[in-house]
Amino acid sequence: MAFDARSFLKTVSESPGVYRMLDDGGNVLYVGKAKRLKARLASYFRTTGLNIKTRALVARIDDIQVTITRSEIEALILEQTLIKSFRPPYNILMRDDKSYPYIFVSQRHDYPALEFKRVRQRGTDGRYFGPYPSSVAVRESLSLMQKVFRIRNCEDSVFANRTRPCLQYQIGRCTAPCVDYISREDYRRDVEHAVMCLSGKSEQVTIRLSEQMDAASKALEFEKAAYLRDQISDLRTLQSQQSVEMDQGHADIMALAEQPGGASISVLAVRQGRMLGARHYTPKNELGLTGSDLLGSFVSQYYLGHDRDLPPEIIVSHALTDQDVLESAFSEQAARRVRIAHQVRGHRAQWQSLAVTNAEQHLKTQLSGQDQMDKRFANLADILGLEAPACRLECFDISHSQGEATVASCVVFEAGGPVKSDYRRFNIEGITGGDDYAAMKQALTRRYKRIQNEEAKRPDILIVDGGKGQLSMAREVFEELGVTNIILLGVAKGTTRKPGLETLYIETSTNSVTLDSTLPALHLIQHIRDEAHRFAITGHRQRRDKQRRTSSLEGIQGVGPKRRRELLRFFGGLQGVSQATREELTRVPGINAQLAEQIYLALHG
């Protein structure tokens, strides 16, 4: 079966990341990185403009796996790591490590420099930071570090023979340790701050410098305080240019994502602070285990009984039920302590969030696959007794906050999945706040009047979220408009409102069925209902926020931006305008008695 690029591209993230193209044997054909995964992968499947070699690669693709990263730089580093690991036939394979430049800090010299190193040498008396994506990135970081901390960049032979400061001192890029213009202790402090920044601890350095700046300001040392202020500003820039590898962090991160119809677990491996890649698993949850139990079972099977490298720390997305037991078993197997963590902070929280994002993306791709959608539509047709699967489904939902800014949503699914270009929202007006039945009636009337006039495509099935009441309202609208040949389904949540316990009403409130939680048809209904709910909530929040940002003066005929400014300036704000009498309003420049009366009535009814 040919790779379904159209269905795959619908689910791909816009985030930066790395993709692996696999053949039908599971072998890696090509590894690539992208600033925007969706746009990059879509370029492989355009109908024109591909060269012969690219077309040959695309013809062999059976699957594409993606790993989302935090930045394009991290994607570049991971790409190089995977290329060296898999050696794909369509990638350019380098024979050396020249694509991995480093920054080196010697620990032997009294006044060490920050040095550019092309190759990382083992056993050297010093510390390496990197790898960086390019020599340009290294030189930019070196330049910024020298600007912030004024660390020397000269060769040791030059340093040993200086008798007066060089140009770097004159331009404020060095403290001239070669001629003892700075003490060894102060220089070491600057080097320590630079090393902390290169190790990913620039926030701690910023806090230190902020404290020193406050102390200098209180001591009336304003020149020193200004210098420290500039250092802090430069450090903010540095934080966005740091290396992906920070020479710290040795952990596996495991995250679980669940949706009706499936689950996905992503495993990210981090070694020496650098992410080495991600693997995705789709366990079957036949027993209906909770997320914690399912992930705990997976973690146990992943390590125990297998010859796997157990890292010092395993970070998980859910609190595990048997965490203490697992920690003891892993520690015994590794002959050292192994910690399992759920509540983490800092860069470990970023890894955890990244693993969750990857799990959600992989699950979305799996569930939106064409085979999966075909099974769902076919199973729904069997349950409804249809001769052929439906081609088009529509689902409606209502959202408001205690009756405020009511919005109805309409989402559309076809055999290929969601058709977002056909989604619609309806701003509901002229009803009692909180009356969901009236809101549903208005939305359905507006939608299906257009369909009756052939201004929109006709669905095969209409799904309303809300059960008997909303189903009866939809039936009433259909009878008023003369709509026929559309199947009506109402979805009512169970007493506990948990997914999998819904009751489905078919055509009438007396014809109900409770579907097994494992049936693909139920997963399709849950998917489209949840999508309608999401789309309605998003629209409601946008409308509510817009209303709250909008001045009540807007919409009053004759009161444009200039007169609104004059009113607000004269009375000191909207509250003052609302409290003003008709006579007081006429005192505002440009407001006559007739307009004052109009404004007063608009604000007070």
Side-chain angles (χ1 to χ4, degrees), residues 11 38 49 59 72 82 86 97 124 143 210 257 261 266 315 343 367 376 386 404 428 443 574 603:
T11 65
K38 191 182 191 75
E72 188 180 10
L82 294 178
F86 292 108
D97 286 329
T124 306
S143 176
S210 297
S266 288
I315 300 171
Q343 295 181 328
L367 295 182
R376 291 179 170 191
L386 304 179
E404 178 190 4
I428 305 301
L574 185 59
L603 295 177

Side-chain angles (χ1 to χ4, degrees), residues 139-330:
R139 299 190 194 283
E140 285 180 352
S141 293
L142 282 174
S143 176
L144 190 53
M145 298 299 289
Q146 286 154 5
K147 177 183 177 183
V148 176
F149 300 110
R150 299 191 292 180
I151 307 295
R152 72 178 182 91
N153 64 350
C154 56
E155 298 287 341
D156 288 350
S157 58
V158 174
F159 175 85
N161 294 289
R162 292 294 305 183
T163 58
R164 61 179 182 175
C166 66
L167 180 62
Q168 291 295 314
Y169 172 78
Q170 302 295 336
I171 64 175
R173 292 298 185 96
C174 181
T175 50
C178 54
V179 290
D180 296 327
Y181 277 22
I182 184 173
S183 68
R184 178 180 175 183
E185 291 73 21
D186 289 344
Y187 188 84
R188 281 285 181 181
R189 183 196 61 229
D190 291 338
V191 172
E192 179 190 357
H193 286 166
V195 167
M196 288 176 68
C197 289
L198 291 170
S199 300
K201 301 176 182 177
S202 57
E203 195 62 41
Q204 296 179 25
V205 178
T206 303
I207 294 172
R208 286 189 188 182
L209 295 178
S210 297
E211 293 171 351
Q212 294 174 21
M213 181 182 68
D214 292 340
S217 179
K218 291 177 182 178
L220 305 181
E221 297 175 350
F222 299 119
E223 186 175 344
K224 180 179 179 181
Y227 170 71
L228 291 168
R229 177 204 61 202
D230 294 340
Q231 273 193 311
I232 294 169
S233 176
D234 291 335
L235 275 175
R236 295 301 181 192
T237 304
L238 175 68
Q239 288 166 2
S240 65
Q241 297 184 6
Q242 279 187 297
S243 162
V244 173
E245 178 183 316
M246 296 174 293
D247 204 24
Q248 63 176 10
H250 192 80
D252 284 348
I253 303 93
M254 300 188 174
L256 168 69
E258 293 182 286
Q259 283 187 21
S264 174
I265 294 176
S266 288
V267 181
L268 270 62
V270 175
R271 299 296 183 266
Q272 283 74 52
R274 178 158 54 92
M275 189 174 72
L276 300 183
R279 295 192 65 181
H280 310 293
Y281 301 84
T282 52
K284 292 185 177 180
N285 191 8
E286 301 289 356
L287 299 178
L289 300 176
T290 64
S292 295
D293 290 338
L294 180 60
L295 185 59
S297 177
F298 174 84
V299 171
S300 175
Q301 293 182 34
Y302 186 81
Y303 291 108
L304 297 178
H306 294 84
D307 186 21
R308 295 189 190 276
D309 171 34
L310 267 162
E313 184 174 39
I314 301 169
I315 300 171
V316 292
S317 61
H318 294 60
L320 304 186
T321 306
D322 298 324
Q323 179 171 316
D324 293 341
V325 177
L326 289 173
E327 281 185 341
S328 299
F330 294 161

